[in-house]
Amino acid sequence: PAWDWAGREKFAGPGLGIMPAMSRSTARLSVVASALALLACSPALDWRSVPLPEAGITLSLPCKPERAARPVDLGAGAVELSMVGCRADGATFALSHMPLADPSQAGAALARWRTAVLARMQAGPQAQAGAAFVPRQALDLPQSLRMVVRGRGADGAEVVAEAAWFARLEGPRARLYHAVVYAPQPRTAAADTFFTGLALAAVSAQRRHRAAP
């Protein structure tokens, strides 16, 4: 199958990780993330626009996207973790997103998500540093970051992740995003194209404000 929720297949990256402090279901969510193992392949980077109206974002992918969504319990009721991505030219490109009921917790939730991803990659403490990454229409949070992380994939092989975390308001709640490019070596040009192509839909001026960091 295109998506193997059991996560038995090898994956070029270490998975997306998830917020471990929010729920006892962390391990199950990590298994969900490992579904990226079987994303469609392409021999070259053939960029195309991929709108996700349900998530309020459009992204650019260099290959035919595959999607998956699954309800998960974060300890406060079920929410849907959704992913879209593909694999091309030796790299995996992916975006995952989920709703958050309390926008004031967006910064803390992004930090927990990032910590889970770095732990899954067995990344060193130096990976904690990152540069601000606040796309237009995103919440202006100190936890909204882009970074390059060296670690290990699910098969134990060395992998480089060029990753970003950010959030936006979505009515009375927030939506959290994690965008990532996994490859054996840095793919800076491809990652720049990928991250530049992340376009959040406009929100009304009345709803744009800072969430608590």
PDB file of all heavy atoms in Angstrom, residues 2-32:
ATOM      1  N   ALA A   2       0.286   2.349  -0.510  1.00  0.00           N
ATOM      2  CA  ALA A   2       1.051   3.594  -0.588  1.00  0.00           C
ATOM      3  C   ALA A   2       1.425   4.102   0.789  1.00  0.00           C
ATOM      4  O   ALA A   2       2.472   4.695   0.989  1.00  0.00           O
ATOM      5  CB  ALA A   2       0.243   4.646  -1.352  1.00  0.00           C
ATOM      6  N   TRP A   3       0.568   3.868   1.779  1.00  0.00           N
ATOM      7  CA  TRP A   3       0.840   4.328   3.142  1.00  0.00           C
ATOM      8  C   TRP A   3       0.733   3.153   4.076  1.00  0.00           C
ATOM      9  O   TRP A   3      -0.305   2.517   4.182  1.00  0.00           O
ATOM     10  CB  TRP A   3      -0.167   5.404   3.551  1.00  0.00           C
ATOM     11  CG  TRP A   3      -0.009   6.652   2.758  1.00  0.00           C
ATOM     12  CD1 TRP A   3      -0.579   6.942   1.565  1.00  0.00           C
ATOM     13  CD2 TRP A   3       0.783   7.780   3.097  1.00  0.00           C
ATOM     14  NE1 TRP A   3      -0.195   8.186   1.145  1.00  0.00           N
ATOM     15  CE2 TRP A   3       0.630   8.722   2.060  1.00  0.00           C
ATOM     16  CE3 TRP A   3       1.606   8.092   4.189  1.00  0.00           C
ATOM     17  CZ2 TRP A   3       1.277   9.950   2.078  1.00  0.00           C
ATOM     18  CZ3 TRP A   3       2.235   9.322   4.201  1.00  0.00           C
ATOM     19  CH2 TRP A   3       2.073  10.230   3.157  1.00  0.00           C
ATOM     20  N   ASP A   4       1.813   2.833   4.746  1.00  0.00           N
ATOM     21  CA  ASP A   4       1.845   1.684   5.651  1.00  0.00           C
ATOM     22  C   ASP A   4       1.855   2.205   7.080  1.00  0.00           C
ATOM     23  O   ASP A   4       2.869   2.625   7.609  1.00  0.00           O
ATOM     24  CB  ASP A   4       3.111   0.859   5.374  1.00  0.00           C
ATOM     25  CG  ASP A   4       3.232  -0.332   6.304  1.00  0.00           C
ATOM     26  OD1 ASP A   4       2.294  -0.554   7.084  1.00  0.00           O
ATOM     27  OD2 ASP A   4       4.254  -1.017   6.226  1.00  0.00           O
ATOM     28  N   TRP A   5       0.682   2.194   7.737  1.00  0.00           N
ATOM     29  CA  TRP A   5       0.587   2.752   9.078  1.00  0.00           C
ATOM     30  C   TRP A   5       1.409   1.960  10.086  1.00  0.00           C
ATOM     31  O   TRP A   5       1.746   2.436  11.146  1.00  0.00           O
ATOM     32  CB  TRP A   5      -0.864   2.805   9.529  1.00  0.00           C
ATOM     33  CG  TRP A   5      -1.675   3.768   8.743  1.00  0.00           C
ATOM     34  CD1 TRP A   5      -2.663   3.480   7.853  1.00  0.00           C
ATOM     35  CD2 TRP A   5      -1.549   5.186   8.726  1.00  0.00           C
ATOM     36  NE1 TRP A   5      -3.159   4.626   7.301  1.00  0.00           N
ATOM     37  CE2 TRP A   5      -2.497   5.686   7.821  1.00  0.00           C
ATOM     38  CE3 TRP A   5      -0.718   6.093   9.403  1.00  0.00           C
ATOM     39  CZ2 TRP A   5      -2.657   7.037   7.569  1.00  0.00           C
ATOM     40  CZ3 TRP A   5      -0.872   7.445   9.149  1.00  0.00           C
ATOM     41  CH2 TRP A   5      -1.830   7.898   8.248  1.00  0.00           C
ATOM     42  N   ALA A   6       1.730   0.718   9.757  1.00  0.00           N
ATOM     43  CA  ALA A   6       2.556  -0.061  10.674  1.00  0.00           C
ATOM     44  C   ALA A   6       4.007   0.374  10.627  1.00  0.00           C
ATOM     45  O   ALA A   6       4.793   0.038  11.499  1.00  0.00           O
ATOM     46  CB  ALA A   6       2.451  -1.547  10.336  1.00  0.00           C
ATOM     47  N   GLY A   7       4.379   1.123   9.582  1.00  0.00           N
ATOM     48  CA  GLY A   7       5.729   1.689   9.519  1.00  0.00           C
ATOM     49  C   GLY A   7       6.813   0.643   9.398  1.00  0.00           C
ATOM     50  O   GLY A   7       7.912   0.809   9.915  1.00  0.00           O
ATOM     51  N   ARG A   8       6.561  -0.445   8.657  1.00  0.00           N
ATOM     52  CA  ARG A   8       7.562  -1.499   8.584  1.00  0.00           C
ATOM     53  C   ARG A   8       8.621  -1.221   7.532  1.00  0.00           C
ATOM     54  O   ARG A   8       9.677  -1.819   7.537  1.00  0.00           O
ATOM     55  CB  ARG A   8       6.867  -2.838   8.284  1.00  0.00           C
ATOM     56  CG  ARG A   8       6.038  -3.364   9.434  1.00  0.00           C
ATOM     57  CD  ARG A   8       5.487  -4.736   9.102  1.00  0.00           C
ATOM     58  NE  ARG A   8       4.528  -4.668   8.015  1.00  0.00           N
ATOM     59  CZ  ARG A   8       3.223  -4.520   8.191  1.00  0.00           C
ATOM     60  NH1 ARG A   8       2.734  -4.381   9.401  1.00  0.00           N
ATOM     61  NH2 ARG A   8       2.402  -4.487   7.165  1.00  0.00           N
ATOM     62  N   GLU A   9       8.339  -0.325   6.595  1.00  0.00           N
ATOM     63  CA  GLU A   9       9.267  -0.091   5.504  1.00  0.00           C
ATOM     64  C   GLU A   9      10.353   0.899   5.918  1.00  0.00           C
ATOM     65  O   GLU A   9      10.155   1.739   6.794  1.00  0.00           O
ATOM     66  CB  GLU A   9       8.521   0.448   4.284  1.00  0.00           C
ATOM     67  CG  GLU A   9       7.455  -0.500   3.761  1.00  0.00           C
ATOM     68  CD  GLU A   9       8.033  -1.766   3.196  1.00  0.00           C
ATOM     69  OE1 GLU A   9       9.177  -1.722   2.726  1.00  0.00           O
ATOM     70  OE2 GLU A   9       7.357  -2.792   3.248  1.00  0.00           O
ATOM     71  N   LYS A  10      11.492   0.830   5.265  1.00  0.00           N
ATOM     72  CA  LYS A  10      12.574   1.776   5.538  1.00  0.00           C
ATOM     73  C   LYS A  10      12.201   3.151   5.016  1.00  0.00           C
ATOM     74  O   LYS A  10      11.506   3.305   4.030  1.00  0.00           O
ATOM     75  CB  LYS A  10      13.870   1.303   4.867  1.00  0.00           C
ATOM     76  CG  LYS A  10      14.467   0.076   5.526  1.00  0.00           C
ATOM     77  CD  LYS A  10      15.779  -0.285   4.885  1.00  0.00           C
ATOM     78  CE  LYS A  10      16.409  -1.492   5.568  1.00  0.00           C
ATOM     79  NZ  LYS A  10      17.679  -1.867   4.953  1.00  0.00           N
ATOM     80  N   PHE A  11      12.715   4.168   5.673  1.00  0.00           N
ATOM     81  CA  PHE A  11      12.392   5.547   5.344  1.00  0.00           C
ATOM     82  C   PHE A  11      13.680   6.340   5.326  1.00  0.00           C
ATOM     83  O   PHE A  11      14.519   6.198   6.195  1.00  0.00           O
ATOM     84  CB  PHE A  11      11.419   6.101   6.389  1.00  0.00           C
ATOM     85  CG  PHE A  11      11.160   7.570   6.280  1.00  0.00           C
ATOM     86  CD1 PHE A  11      10.947   8.166   5.046  1.00  0.00           C
ATOM     87  CD2 PHE A  11      11.117   8.347   7.412  1.00  0.00           C
ATOM     88  CE1 PHE A  11      10.692   9.519   4.951  1.00  0.00           C
ATOM     89  CE2 PHE A  11      10.859   9.715   7.329  1.00  0.00           C
ATOM     90  CZ  PHE A  11      10.653  10.290   6.096  1.00  0.00           C
ATOM     91  N   ALA A  12      13.820   7.196   4.317  1.00  0.00           N
ATOM     92  CA  ALA A  12      15.050   7.975   4.201  1.00  0.00           C
ATOM     93  C   ALA A  12      15.220   8.957   5.352  1.00  0.00           C
ATOM     94  O   ALA A  12      16.320   9.374   5.664  1.00  0.00           O
ATOM     95  CB  ALA A  12      15.055   8.739   2.871  1.00  0.00           C
ATOM     96  N   GLY A  13      14.139   9.353   5.983  1.00  0.00           N
ATOM     97  CA  GLY A  13      14.196  10.264   7.112  1.00  0.00           C
ATOM     98  C   GLY A  13      13.739   9.562   8.371  1.00  0.00           C
ATOM     99  O   GLY A  13      13.305   8.426   8.342  1.00  0.00           O
ATOM    100  N   PRO A  14      13.807  10.238   9.520  1.00  0.00           N
ATOM    101  CA  PRO A  14      13.500   9.611  10.795  1.00  0.00           C
ATOM    102  C   PRO A  14      12.049   9.720  11.210  1.00  0.00           C
ATOM    103  O   PRO A  14      11.711   9.351  12.317  1.00  0.00           O
ATOM    104  CB  PRO A  14      14.389  10.393  11.759  1.00  0.00           C
ATOM    105  CG  PRO A  14      14.406  11.752  11.181  1.00  0.00           C
ATOM    106  CD  PRO A  14      14.393  11.574   9.684  1.00  0.00           C
ATOM    107  N   GLY A  15      11.184  10.235  10.374  1.00  0.00           N
ATOM    108  CA  GLY A  15       9.793  10.411  10.780  1.00  0.00           C
ATOM    109  C   GLY A  15       9.569  11.820  11.285  1.00  0.00           C
ATOM    110  O   GLY A  15      10.487  12.577  11.527  1.00  0.00           O
ATOM    111  N   LEU A  16       8.314  12.203  11.444  1.00  0.00           N
ATOM    112  CA  LEU A  16       7.991  13.570  11.794  1.00  0.00           C
ATOM    113  C   LEU A  16       8.007  13.828  13.285  1.00  0.00           C
ATOM    114  O   LEU A  16       8.046  14.959  13.718  1.00  0.00           O
ATOM    115  CB  LEU A  16       6.601  13.926  11.245  1.00  0.00           C
ATOM    116  CG  LEU A  16       6.495  13.844   9.721  1.00  0.00           C
ATOM    117  CD1 LEU A  16       5.094  14.214   9.298  1.00  0.00           C
ATOM    118  CD2 LEU A  16       7.494  14.777   9.064  1.00  0.00           C
ATOM    119  N   GLY A  17       7.943  12.793  14.106  1.00  0.00           N
ATOM    120  CA  GLY A  17       7.857  12.994  15.542  1.00  0.00           C
ATOM    121  C   GLY A  17       6.526  13.634  15.901  1.00  0.00           C
ATOM    122  O   GLY A  17       5.711  13.937  15.051  1.00  0.00           O
ATOM    123  N   ILE A  18       6.292  13.876  17.172  1.00  0.00           N
ATOM    124  CA  ILE A  18       5.048  14.507  17.588  1.00  0.00           C
ATOM    125  C   ILE A  18       5.200  14.942  19.025  1.00  0.00           C
ATOM    126  O   ILE A  18       6.114  14.543  19.715  1.00  0.00           O
ATOM    127  CB  ILE A  18       3.852  13.547  17.402  1.00  0.00           C
ATOM    128  CG1 ILE A  18       2.551  14.330  17.226  1.00  0.00           C
ATOM    129  CG2 ILE A  18       3.736  12.555  18.513  1.00  0.00           C
ATOM    130  CD1 ILE A  18       2.479  15.091  15.959  1.00  0.00           C
ATOM    131  N   MET A  19       4.287  15.712  19.530  1.00  0.00           N
ATOM    132  CA  MET A  19       4.377  16.330  20.843  1.00  0.00           C
ATOM    133  C   MET A  19       4.252  15.308  21.963  1.00  0.00           C
ATOM    134  O   MET A  19       3.149  14.932  22.335  1.00  0.00           O
ATOM    135  CB  MET A  19       3.261  17.361  20.972  1.00  0.00           C
ATOM    136  CG  MET A  19       3.188  18.304  19.797  1.00  0.00           C
ATOM    137  SD  MET A  19       1.636  19.184  19.832  1.00  0.00           S
ATOM    138  CE  MET A  19       1.642  19.900  18.208  1.00  0.00           C
ATOM    139  N   PRO A  20       5.343  14.837  22.540  1.00  0.00           N
ATOM    140  CA  PRO A  20       5.246  13.750  23.505  1.00  0.00           C
ATOM    141  C   PRO A  20       4.603  14.165  24.814  1.00  0.00           C
ATOM    142  O   PRO A  20       4.016  13.334  25.494  1.00  0.00           O
ATOM    143  CB  PRO A  20       6.703  13.338  23.715  1.00  0.00           C
ATOM    144  CG  PRO A  20       7.491  14.570  23.406  1.00  0.00           C
ATOM    145  CD  PRO A  20       6.725  15.272  22.325  1.00  0.00           C
ATOM    146  N   ALA A  21       4.726  15.430  25.202  1.00  0.00           N
ATOM    147  CA  ALA A  21       4.212  15.845  26.499  1.00  0.00           C
ATOM    148  C   ALA A  21       2.705  16.039  26.487  1.00  0.00           C
ATOM    149  O   ALA A  21       2.092  16.220  27.525  1.00  0.00           O
ATOM    150  CB  ALA A  21       4.881  17.158  26.927  1.00  0.00           C
ATOM    151  N   MET A  22       2.085  15.966  25.326  1.00  0.00           N
ATOM    152  CA  MET A  22       0.670  16.270  25.249  1.00  0.00           C
ATOM    153  C   MET A  22      -0.204  15.039  25.392  1.00  0.00           C
ATOM    154  O   MET A  22      -1.399  15.149  25.596  1.00  0.00           O
ATOM    155  CB  MET A  22       0.350  16.951  23.912  1.00  0.00           C
ATOM    156  CG  MET A  22       0.983  18.311  23.756  1.00  0.00           C
ATOM    157  SD  MET A  22       0.487  19.118  22.232  1.00  0.00           S
ATOM    158  CE  MET A  22      -1.246  19.438  22.554  1.00  0.00           C
ATOM    159  N   SER A  23       0.378  13.841  25.262  1.00  0.00           N
ATOM    160  CA  SER A  23      -0.490  12.685  25.217  1.00  0.00           C
ATOM    161  C   SER A  23       0.288  11.399  25.407  1.00  0.00           C
ATOM    162  O   SER A  23       1.468  11.318  25.145  1.00  0.00           O
ATOM    163  CB  SER A  23      -1.210  12.649  23.857  1.00  0.00           C
ATOM    164  OG  SER A  23      -1.760  11.397  23.615  1.00  0.00           O
ATOM    165  N   ARG A  24      -0.411  10.359  25.851  1.00  0.00           N
ATOM    166  CA  ARG A  24       0.197   9.039  25.937  1.00  0.00           C
ATOM    167  C   ARG A  24       0.317   8.393  24.566  1.00  0.00           C
ATOM    168  O   ARG A  24       0.903   7.334  24.419  1.00  0.00           O
ATOM    169  CB  ARG A  24      -0.649   8.142  26.844  1.00  0.00           C
ATOM    170  CG  ARG A  24      -0.694   8.607  28.289  1.00  0.00           C
ATOM    171  CD  ARG A  24      -1.638   7.771  29.094  1.00  0.00           C
ATOM    172  NE  ARG A  24      -3.003   7.897  28.599  1.00  0.00           N
ATOM    173  CZ  ARG A  24      -4.028   7.205  29.072  1.00  0.00           C
ATOM    174  NH1 ARG A  24      -3.832   6.323  30.036  1.00  0.00           N
ATOM    175  NH2 ARG A  24      -5.247   7.383  28.589  1.00  0.00           N
ATOM    176  N   SER A  25      -0.242   9.024  23.544  1.00  0.00           N
ATOM    177  CA  SER A  25      -0.257   8.416  22.216  1.00  0.00           C
ATOM    178  C   SER A  25       0.958   8.780  21.378  1.00  0.00           C
ATOM    179  O   SER A  25       0.965   8.601  20.184  1.00  0.00           O
ATOM    180  CB  SER A  25      -1.513   8.834  21.463  1.00  0.00           C
ATOM    181  OG  SER A  25      -1.523  10.232  21.297  1.00  0.00           O
ATOM    182  N   THR A  26       2.015   9.300  21.995  1.00  0.00           N
ATOM    183  CA  THR A  26       3.186   9.734  21.243  1.00  0.00           C
ATOM    184  C   THR A  26       3.748   8.628  20.360  1.00  0.00           C
ATOM    185  O   THR A  26       4.062   8.851  19.189  1.00  0.00           O
ATOM    186  CB  THR A  26       4.292  10.206  22.209  1.00  0.00           C
ATOM    187  OG1 THR A  26       3.759  11.248  23.011  1.00  0.00           O
ATOM    188  CG2 THR A  26       5.498  10.686  21.442  1.00  0.00           C
ATOM    189  N   ALA A  27       3.894   7.437  20.918  1.00  0.00           N
ATOM    190  CA  ALA A  27       4.484   6.347  20.137  1.00  0.00           C
ATOM    191  C   ALA A  27       3.637   6.045  18.921  1.00  0.00           C
ATOM    192  O   ALA A  27       4.158   5.830  17.825  1.00  0.00           O
ATOM    193  CB  ALA A  27       4.627   5.093  21.003  1.00  0.00           C
ATOM    194  N   ARG A  28       2.302   6.052  19.097  1.00  0.00           N
ATOM    195  CA  ARG A  28       1.446   5.750  17.970  1.00  0.00           C
ATOM    196  C   ARG A  28       1.553   6.826  16.899  1.00  0.00           C
ATOM    197  O   ARG A  28       1.551   6.545  15.707  1.00  0.00           O
ATOM    198  CB  ARG A  28      -0.003   5.624  18.434  1.00  0.00           C
ATOM    199  CG  ARG A  28      -0.948   5.191  17.323  1.00  0.00           C
ATOM    200  CD  ARG A  28      -2.315   4.809  17.851  1.00  0.00           C
ATOM    201  NE  ARG A  28      -3.066   5.970  18.341  1.00  0.00           N
ATOM    202  CZ  ARG A  28      -3.326   6.198  19.619  1.00  0.00           C
ATOM    203  NH1 ARG A  28      -2.899   5.354  20.540  1.00  0.00           N
ATOM    204  NH2 ARG A  28      -4.015   7.260  19.997  1.00  0.00           N
ATOM    205  N   LEU A  29       1.687   8.097  17.320  1.00  0.00           N
ATOM    206  CA  LEU A  29       1.818   9.172  16.358  1.00  0.00           C
ATOM    207  C   LEU A  29       3.129   9.073  15.596  1.00  0.00           C
ATOM    208  O   LEU A  29       3.191   9.397  14.417  1.00  0.00           O
ATOM    209  CB  LEU A  29       1.724  10.517  17.076  1.00  0.00           C
ATOM    210  CG  LEU A  29       0.344  10.844  17.651  1.00  0.00           C
ATOM    211  CD1 LEU A  29       0.404  12.168  18.394  1.00  0.00           C
ATOM    212  CD2 LEU A  29      -0.691  10.900  16.566  1.00  0.00           C
ATOM    213  N   SER A  30       4.189   8.643  16.255  1.00  0.00           N
ATOM    214  CA  SER A  30       5.454   8.464  15.562  1.00  0.00           C
ATOM    215  C   SER A  30       5.329   7.385  14.499  1.00  0.00           C
ATOM    216  O   SER A  30       5.931   7.469  13.430  1.00  0.00           O
ATOM    217  CB  SER A  30       6.556   8.097  16.566  1.00  0.00           C
ATOM    218  OG  SER A  30       6.794   9.175  17.437  1.00  0.00           O
ATOM    219  N   VAL A  31       4.542   6.356  14.798  1.00  0.00           N
ATOM    220  CA  VAL A  31       4.290   5.318  13.801  1.00  0.00           C
ATOM    221  C   VAL A  31       3.533   5.912  12.619  1.00  0.00           C
ATOM    222  O   VAL A  31       3.813   5.614  11.464  1.00  0.00           O
ATOM    223  CB  VAL A  31       3.491   4.146  14.425  1.00  0.00           C
ATOM    224  CG1 VAL A  31       3.012   3.195  13.361  1.00  0.00           C
ATOM    225  CG2 VAL A  31       4.364   3.410  15.432  1.00  0.00           C
ATOM    226  N   VAL A  32       2.568   6.782  12.926  1.00  0.00           N
ATOM    227  CA  VAL A  32       1.839   7.460  11.855  1.00  0.00           C
ATOM    228  C   VAL A  32       2.811   8.221  10.973  1.00  0.00           C
ATOM    229  O   VAL A  32       2.748   8.158   9.746  1.00  0.00           O
ATOM    230  CB  VAL A  32       0.792   8.424  12.446  1.00  0.00           C
ATOM    231  CG1 VAL A  32       0.183   9.285  11.351  1.00  0.00           C
ATOM    232  CG2 VAL A  32      -0.310   7.644  13.151  1.00  0.00           C
TER     233      VAL A  32
END
